[in-house]
Amino acid sequence: MTETRILVVEDEQPIRDLIAFGLRRAGFDVALAADCKAARVCVADHRPGLMLVDWMLPDMSGLELTRQLRKDPDTRDIPIIMLTARAGEADKVTGLEGGADDYMTKPFSPRELIARIQAVLRRTGALGEHGRIVVAGLTLDQVGHRVLAAGRPVDFGPTEFRLLSFLMTHPERVYSRSQLLNRVWGGDVDVEERTVDVHIRRLRKALEASGCDCLVQTVRGAGYRFSARVE
Ligand code: CA
């Protein structure tokens, strides 16, 4: 297995060095960038397995960088953890809406950082056993590109597969229609929000026979959530 490459985008050198030291010791391959421009060059040169992005950067905010990466089909799947000095709850929501997979407030311990990185990598499939995620009788095989419900293969269109794949790798969290459009459809401006509802319906229909359709939940006035907890 090759080492996961982690790109650290942080303008303060002491913090950057400290993070790099901790990551290398944990066995990660580390790339460093001091601003968003350098980060874009690094991403184009050698796609990272995960990015740590500081919120306050000299040329552009880390949030804006995250939004840009999410718009590009080539980079929208890269897991991103935002690093910030701001501890406010509102900032946390903004960070996640901008497309970050997780969020850490400085100062944090190297151990905590490694644990969060591993959790995000597992969730997004990069560390899953052979790229498989299993939740309540539903198996997502990201390598074989198939889904098993109660042990039987389920027939999906490519959009339903991407949608389920995104939801299963980001469980227990509510996503609005516009967030799903951004993350699953890549922010294509021509797609209407109700398109999401159409594909959610198809997804549930395909899962109905196995009873797994209840895992894809509607949260009224907010959006959709994948959850093994039935309400
Ligand atoms: Ca900074």
Side-chain angles (χ1 to χ4, degrees):
M1 196 181 135
T2 53
E3 290 172 345
T4 303
R5 185 186 186 82
I6 300 194
L7 174 58
V8 183
V9 192
E10 164 66 75
D11 56 321
E12 284 166 72
Q13 200 195 343
I15 300 178
R16 202 166 62 224
D17 290 348
L18 197 70
I19 293 174
F21 179 76
L23 293 178
R24 287 193 179 112
R25 210 168 53 171
F28 291 108
D29 178 20
V30 181
L32 302 169
D35 56 33
C36 296
K37 197 170 161 226
R40 295 300 299 249
V41 172
C42 283
V43 170
D45 275 356
H46 188 148
R47 186 193 155 95
L50 183 141
M51 288 174 71
L52 298 177
V53 178
D54 185 33
W55 185 299
M56 298 292 281
L57 291 161
D59 51 348
M60 189 170 58
S61 81
L63 193 61
E64 188 49 39
L65 173 67
T66 302
R67 286 204 185 102
Q68 288 186 2
L69 292 169
R70 290 303 181 223
K71 275 189 198 143
D72 184 341
D74 290 337
T75 57
R76 72 170 177 234
D77 295 333
I78 299 173
I80 295 175
I81 299 179
M82 288 279 292
L83 308 177
T84 181
R86 306 179 183 193
E89 191 64 23
D91 294 325
K92 194 161 182 163
V93 172
T94 314
L96 294 173
E97 279 186 348
D101 293 277
D102 202 356
Y103 195 95
M104 288 192 79
T105 305
K106 296 178 202 170
F108 44 77
S109 73
R111 250 179 83 182
E112 190 189 354
L113 179 64
I114 303 295
R116 294 281 198 103
I117 287 172
Q118 284 168 339
V120 168
L121 288 176
R122 246 193 315 273
R123 223 168 56 207
T124 53
L127 275 191
E129 203 168 325
H130 312 299
R132 273 178 175 227
I133 297 174
V134 183
V135 181
L138 195 60
T139 304
L140 177 78
D141 176 357
Q142 289 180 308
V143 178
H145 232 259
R146 50 184 208 147
V147 174
L148 299 174
R152 295 185 177 196
V154 184
D155 252 339
F156 281 138
T159 306
E160 283 72 42
F161 183 85
R162 281 210 313 277
L163 182 58
L164 182 64
S165 182
F166 176 77
L167 290 171
M168 283 186 79
T169 51
H170 298 80
E172 310 300 340
R173 196 182 281 171
V174 182
Y175 287 93
S176 68
R177 288 167 180 81
S178 70
Q179 285 174 320
L180 287 172
L181 278 182
N182 207 3
R183 302 295 299 270
V184 179
W185 279 261
D188 185 344
V189 284
D190 292 336
V191 183
E192 291 176 53
E193 290 198 359
R194 65 194 167 94
T195 304
V196 176
D197 303 329
V198 171
H199 288 279
I200 288 275
R201 254 200 314 275
R202 285 188 197 156
L203 183 58
R204 286 197 181 124
K205 190 136 190 71
L207 297 173
E208 221 169 55
S210 62
C212 290
D213 53 316
C214 65
L215 302 173
V216 182
Q217 301 169 358
T218 303
V219 181
R220 278 187 82 135
Y224 296 103
R225 167 179 60 202
F226 183 88
S227 175
R229 286 175 230 150
V230 179
E231 314 224 305

